[in-house]
Amino acid sequence: MECTSKQAQADFSVRGRPDSGEDDHRLMGIALECARGSAAIDEVPVGAVLVDEGGTILAACGNNCIRANDPAGHAEIRALRSAAEQVANYRLPGTTIYVTLEPCAMCAAAMIHARVARVVYGAADPKTGAITSRYQLGSDGLLNHSFSVTSGVRQEECSRLLKDFFKQRR
């Protein structure tokens, strides 16, 4: 799934900091659309949306590891890269990232390095989740940056998408 820019997503902008349950629900819906796009090209269906402090979407991406032969082609990394390129800065302070699946250690570390302020995810990942499930990267106070975490947003939809994808492959 190709990343889309804030210009392409301008009509999805929210007013003020995106931290209401309604905003979280709607923005996770966009992440779910990105995940579905990845599933359509036989990528693991994970989607991510990164918004700035004002709620403007900077990037919306799906996984693209397989097609791009890129082990770092996770939706979160792609969204961070796209947004950083747009704002011409690898630091993305004040941003919120919405992810359909709890981020792994690689993605959590990239979010810390980029100075993401808030992580919102749908489905927990008990095997490799690095935000709350296996580790608490970004909120354990052990590193030089922390972010707030909201979990379980549209959890059932996010989980179902992944379960259905893997069920079809078995």
Side-chain angles (χ1 to χ4, degrees):
M1 171 91 196
E2 286 302 309
C3 291
T4 57
S5 70
K6 65 180 178 181
Q7 186 173 25
Q9 298 290 339
D11 57 325
F12 291 109
S13 208
V14 296
R15 294 197 173 113
R17 189 163 178 85
D19 57 11
S20 75
E22 184 178 309
D23 292 337
D24 287 353
H25 184 85
R26 188 174 54 74
L27 288 161
M28 188 61 75
I30 298 169
L32 277 160
E33 285 303 313
C34 292
R36 289 183 189 106
S38 287
I41 60 169
D42 292 324
E43 293 279 350
V44 176
V46 177
V49 174
L50 186 74
V51 300
D52 67 14
E53 286 181 285
T56 299
I57 294 175
L58 299 174
C61 302
N63 270 359
N64 192 23
C65 298
I66 299 164
R67 281 194 163 194
N69 297 309
D70 180 4
H74 292 195
E76 303 95 305
I77 299 291
R78 296 181 72 227
L80 291 169
R81 284 178 178 160
S82 179
E85 188 174 315
Q86 286 179 56
V87 301
N89 192 346
Y90 74 103
R91 300 282 198 217
L92 301 165
T95 57
T96 299
I97 192 162
Y98 294 83
V99 188
T100 57
L101 179 65
E102 180 182 359
C104 68
M106 173 183 68
C107 293
M111 291 174 210
I112 290 165
H113 194 62
R115 305 298 193 262
V116 169
R118 183 170 177 245
V119 176
V120 179
Y121 70 85
D125 186 347
K127 292 182 181 177
T128 63
I131 303 294
T132 57
S133 294
R134 302 292 291 171
Y135 307 98
Q136 289 75 45
L137 294 176
S139 63
D140 59 11
L142 298 174
L143 299 171
N144 62 336
H145 175 73
S146 295
F147 43 68
S148 65
V149 176
T150 302
S151 61
V153 175
R154 297 179 78 160
Q155 180 176 353
E156 182 55 39
E157 288 173 83
C158 294
S159 294
R160 178 61 43 211
L161 182 60
L162 285 158
K163 287 176 185 173
D164 289 349
F165 177 81
F166 287 113
K167 186 177 181 180
Q168 289 176 346
R169 271 137 193 83
R170 290 187 179 122

